[in-house]
Amino acid sequence: MVKKLNENNLFLSYLLEKKVVVDQALTRYLEDNIPDPPLIFEAVRYSLFAGGKRIRPILCIAASEALGRGGADDYEDILPVACALEMIHTYSLIHDDLPAMDNDDYRRGIPTSHKVFGEDIAILAGDALLTQAFCLMSRADLMTRIDPATRLKAISIIAEAAGMTGLIGGQVMDLKAEGKQAELDTLYQMHNRKTGALILASLQAGGLLAGADPMAMEALMTYGQNIGLSFQIADDLLNVEGDMAVLGKNTGSDASRGKVTFPALLGCDESRKLARRLKDEAVAALSNLDHRAEPLRKLAEFIVNRRS
Amino acid sequence: MVKKLNENNLFLSYLLEKKVVVDQALTRYLEDNIPDPPLIFEAVRYSLFAGGKRIRPILCIAASEALGRGGADDYEDILPVACALEMIHTYSLIHDDLPAMDNDDYRRGIPTSHKVFGEDIAILAGDALLTQAFCLMSRADLMTRIDPATRLKAISIIAEAAGMTGLIGGQVMDLKAEGKQAELDTLYQMHNRKTGALILASLQAGGLLAGADPMAMEALMTYGQNIGLSFQIADDLLNVEGDMAVLGKNTGSDASRGKVTFPALLGCDESRKLARRLKDEAVAALSNLDHRAEPLRKLAEFIVNRRS
């Protein structure tokens, strides 16, 4: 019990340490490029520092660490890609929250971008974050120890994950599925794109930058596919059962909107079981990796059990 | 007179030939990646094939040709970047036309994306085109003869031009300038970002892919800065004087919206003179380039004198 508590504390310190590293890097990269007038910069910063857990950048760094890279010595080689993942994630949230999409007023406990800056600036802030992600990954003064072909491949992996067959395609499926009866298969496919694709890309990019061999890459990808889906099931469960004060957004909003969710299709108990099974499969995929993959194993637990 | 007519015909054939090459490439690249369901693909295709003149891709190819590359033998090396420029341009039009932005119902004579597909899909179609541009420029199976460091640099140039200090920053300035008294300096700055940045990037990218030396690059950039601004002045003049039937959108819309424009600040005659002077400066910048830069010289004329 004491050991378990200590382990948990260690992992929470790990998460906090990485979050600080990512936050500092995001600040530094943003400030390299402040436009005049700075309105759009304010809007970008507002959403980027609105309390995100930095799951994707941390997964990217942890994947790299699992293969012996990504630690403090390697931060300069991996942080631009890790931060780009967070920028793309944040852009997708800003656009998803727009009145024409999910029309959400709150996110992570604070008003959404369009409530603060207006719809026009919110659309442009999303566009700016998406564009900025690619600026960052291609900058000549960063990642100088990574060979350009590898950097190009990282950009390709992340762009594909963010595109029509990934993140954007998932959002289209989500919008068009509202109020309709859906099959479990459709739900899997939607979430594999909407949430799964970028989570998977985080792990692939981390592995790529660490020089993963095909077997290690396969392990990271199986891990990524499984936690991507369990992440979304956990999200759906939180929307049903979560506490508005902890979650920072309205709970029950999925149901009132007629969204197709795992709890709606399978019930809460079955959904919880499925999330745990996926988490176990994710961890099992890492069996050939040594103790350096421990943060990834803990991250799988964290993703399924989180309260916000 | 006959010689002049023949020259013009030759140039129009050049434009048409390049447009066909770009259109075919856009079709091919898009069809490599059709999502299921294809709704977002339909929206992307609708705007991408809504009658654009392909000015940016053609500038990119012509810049490359001016330095002895970019012709038919080199198409495979340059078309992904040329097409990415058109995708970014098209995304910016879709988002600019949204109700929360300029609220335009027509563009190039047909209904805008949000009028046909709804606001949600229009936002996502813009997002998809922006993302697709980076997918295309980073694809492993394309541009195989260009070294990865050069490809990375092309991505960087284009991403910066599309970002907060370029295209997006210009749109922010434009939105916030509506109805306000503006100085000529502010107008220059706004257009240098909103229209100029991506036109300049088209020339830089074309030069880069053709292996331009610093002097040639300097010439292309001076040319680009001048035609970028003259392009926008011509646009402003068309908005005042143009014919709705030819232009495909409502004329006089800038004035009724209180937009700051060159004709509003300088009058039509002075604006026309300024556009011609900028065009002359653009052409003069190419004086050290040989006959292969002829299409760029003609393009400068075309941009200032176009009727739509």
Side-chain angles (χ1 to χ4, degrees):
Chain A
M1 182 66 188
V2 172
K3 181 164 176 277
K4 181 110 191 165
L5 269 175
N6 281 341
E7 268 181 23
N8 276 343
N9 284 342
L10 262 179
F11 176 65
L12 290 177
S13 319
Y14 175 91
L15 277 188
L16 186 63
E17 179 207 313
K18 297 299 177 197
K19 182 173 153 39
V20 168
V21 168
V22 170
D23 284 357
Q24 284 173 343
L26 282 169
T27 303
R28 202 165 64 237
Y29 297 143
L30 267 192
E31 286 178 354
D32 283 347
N33 196 19
I34 300 180
D36 169 41
L39 175 63
I40 185 78
F41 169 78
E42 299 301 338
V44 159
R45 191 168 54 183
Y46 176 83
S47 293
L48 209 44
F49 293 96
K53 294 178 289 296
R54 315 304 188 205
I55 296 280
R56 289 153 193 81
I58 295 174
L59 282 171
C60 178
I61 296 170
S64 195
E65 282 182 338
L67 304 177
R69 290 203 61 179
D73 286 349
D74 302 316
Y75 279 156
E76 295 313 311
D77 298 337
I78 197 161
L79 279 173
V81 169
C83 289
L85 289 159
E86 187 69 12
M87 287 175 174
I88 293 174
H89 172 58
T90 306
Y91 121 78
S92 77
L93 299 182
I94 296 176
H95 282 192
D96 280 9
D97 287 337
L98 286 168
M101 307 267 219
D102 287 354
N103 195 18
D104 276 315
D105 292 350
Y106 288 92
R107 161 85 64 183
R108 296 168 181 159
I110 64 170
T112 45
S113 181
H114 63 94
K115 296 303 283 184
V116 178
F117 297 94
E119 258 183 88
D120 51 356
I121 295 297
I123 294 169
L124 290 169
D127 294 346
L129 277 162
L130 176 56
T131 310
Q132 196 61 26
F134 292 102
C135 288
L136 194 48
M137 289 191 286
S138 60
R139 265 173 62 169
D141 60 331
L142 298 174
M143 302 179 73
T144 49
R145 294 186 299 183
I146 305 286
D147 88 287
T150 303
R151 294 182 63 181
L152 209 54
K153 187 149 173 50
I155 293 173
S156 176
I157 288 170
I158 292 170
E160 291 290 341
M164 285 190 290
T165 52
L167 183 62
I168 293 171
Q171 176 66 0
V172 174
M173 287 184 79
D174 196 8
L175 284 168
K176 296 305 155 190
E178 276 185 28
K180 279 194 202 148
Q181 188 66 34
E183 309 280 323
L184 198 56
D185 255 14
T186 315
L187 195 62
Y188 275 123
Q189 213 191 104
M190 176 175 102
H191 288 312
N192 275 336
R193 292 181 190 175
K194 192 174 164 167
T195 318
L198 202 59
I199 285 181
L200 181 57
S202 305
L203 291 151
Q204 279 180 283
L208 175 75
L209 295 173
D213 63 34
M215 251 178 57
M217 192 57 103
E218 178 82 22
L220 289 175
M221 287 179 69
T222 306
Y223 170 88
Q225 274 149 353
N226 284 293
I227 62 152
L229 200 52
S230 68
F231 184 95
Q232 187 57 48
I233 299 173
D235 233 33
D236 282 359
L237 282 165
L238 281 169
N239 194 282
V240 179
E241 302 174 329
D243 177 344
M244 159 78 186
V246 180
L247 202 60
K249 61 182 176 186
N250 293 320
T251 54
S253 56
D254 287 350
S256 66
R257 208 177 267 148
K259 283 233 181 227
V260 186
T261 66
F262 284 98
L265 271 187
L266 298 176
C268 286
D269 281 355
E270 280 306 308
S271 298
R272 203 170 292 109
K273 272 187 211 158
L274 177 58
R276 289 209 188 109
R277 202 172 68 229
L278 290 164
K279 186 264 293 172
D280 290 341
E281 279 170 31
V283 173
L286 304 179
S287 60
N288 282 328
L289 300 181
D290 64 18
H291 67 280
R292 293 174 298 189
E294 205 49 30
L296 283 181
R297 298 186 184 100
K298 296 279 185 201
L299 273 160
E301 296 273 356
F302 174 78
I303 280 169
V304 173
N305 296 324
R306 72 208 155 87
R307 305 300 309 153
S308 69
Chain B
M1 181 68 187
V2 172
K3 181 165 175 274
K4 181 109 193 168
L5 270 176
N6 281 340
E7 267 180 23
N8 276 343
N9 284 342
L10 261 178
F11 176 65
L12 291 177
S13 320
Y14 175 90
L15 278 188
L16 187 62
E17 179 208 313
K18 297 300 176 196
K19 182 173 152 44
V20 169
V21 168
V22 170
D23 284 356
Q24 284 173 344
L26 281 169
T27 303
R28 201 166 66 238
Y29 298 143
L30 267 192
E31 286 178 354
D32 283 347
N33 195 18
I34 300 180
D36 170 39
L39 175 63
I40 185 77
F41 169 78
E42 298 300 340
V44 158
R45 191 168 54 182
Y46 177 82
S47 293
L48 209 44
F49 292 96
K53 293 177 290 297
R54 315 306 187 201
I55 295 280
R56 290 154 192 79
I58 294 173
L59 283 170
C60 178
I61 295 169
S64 194
E65 281 181 340
L67 305 177
R69 290 202 61 179
D73 286 350
D74 302 316
Y75 279 156
E76 296 313 310
D77 298 338
I78 197 162
L79 279 173
V81 169
C83 289
L85 288 159
E86 187 69 12
M87 288 175 172
I88 293 175
H89 171 59
T90 307
Y91 121 77
S92 78
L93 299 183
I94 296 176
H95 281 192
D96 280 7
D97 287 336
L98 286 167
M101 307 268 219
D102 287 353
N103 194 19
D104 276 314
D105 292 351
Y106 288 92
R107 161 85 63 184
R108 296 168 181 161
I110 63 169
T112 45
S113 181
H114 62 95
K115 295 303 284 182
V116 178
F117 298 95
E119 257 183 88
D120 51 357
I121 295 298
I123 295 170
L124 290 169
D127 294 346
L129 277 162
L130 177 55
T131 310
Q132 196 60 27
F134 292 101
C135 289
L136 194 49
M137 290 191 286
S138 60
R139 265 172 63 171
D141 60 332
L142 298 175
M143 300 179 76
T144 47
R145 293 185 299 182
I146 305 285
D147 86 286
T150 303
R151 293 181 64 180
L152 209 54
K153 185 146 175 47
I155 293 173
S156 176
I157 288 170
I158 292 169
E160 291 289 341
M164 285 191 289
T165 52
L167 184 62
I168 293 171
Q171 176 66 1
V172 174
M173 287 184 79
D174 196 9
L175 284 169
K176 296 305 155 191
E178 275 185 29
K180 277 194 202 150
Q181 188 65 33
E183 308 280 323
L184 198 57
D185 256 15
T186 316
L187 196 62
Y188 275 123
Q189 212 189 107
M190 176 176 102
H191 289 311
N192 276 336
R193 293 181 189 175
K194 192 173 164 167
T195 318
L198 201 60
I199 285 181
L200 181 57
S202 306
L203 291 150
Q204 280 180 282
L208 175 75
L209 294 174
D213 63 33
M215 250 178 57
M217 191 56 104
E218 178 80 22
L220 289 175
M221 288 179 69
T222 306
Y223 170 89
Q225 274 150 352
N226 284 293
I227 62 152
L229 200 52
S230 68
F231 185 95
Q232 187 57 47
I233 299 172
D235 234 34
D236 282 359
L237 282 164
L238 281 168
N239 194 282
V240 179
E241 302 174 329
D243 177 346
M244 160 81 186
V246 180
L247 202 60
K249 61 183 176 185
N250 294 321
T251 53
S253 56
D254 287 351
S256 66
R257 205 177 268 149
K259 284 233 184 225
V260 185
T261 66
F262 284 96
L265 270 187
L266 297 176
C268 286
D269 281 355
E270 280 306 308
S271 299
R272 202 169 292 111
K273 272 186 210 158
L274 178 58
R276 291 210 187 110
R277 203 172 66 229
L278 290 164
K279 185 263 294 173
D280 290 342
E281 280 170 29
V283 173
L286 304 179
S287 60
N288 282 327
L289 300 182
D290 65 17
H291 68 281
R292 293 173 298 186
E294 205 49 29
L296 283 182
R297 298 187 185 100
K298 295 278 186 203
L299 273 159
E301 295 273 354
F302 174 77
I303 280 170
V304 174
N305 295 323
R306 71 206 157 88
R307 304 303 306 156
S308 70

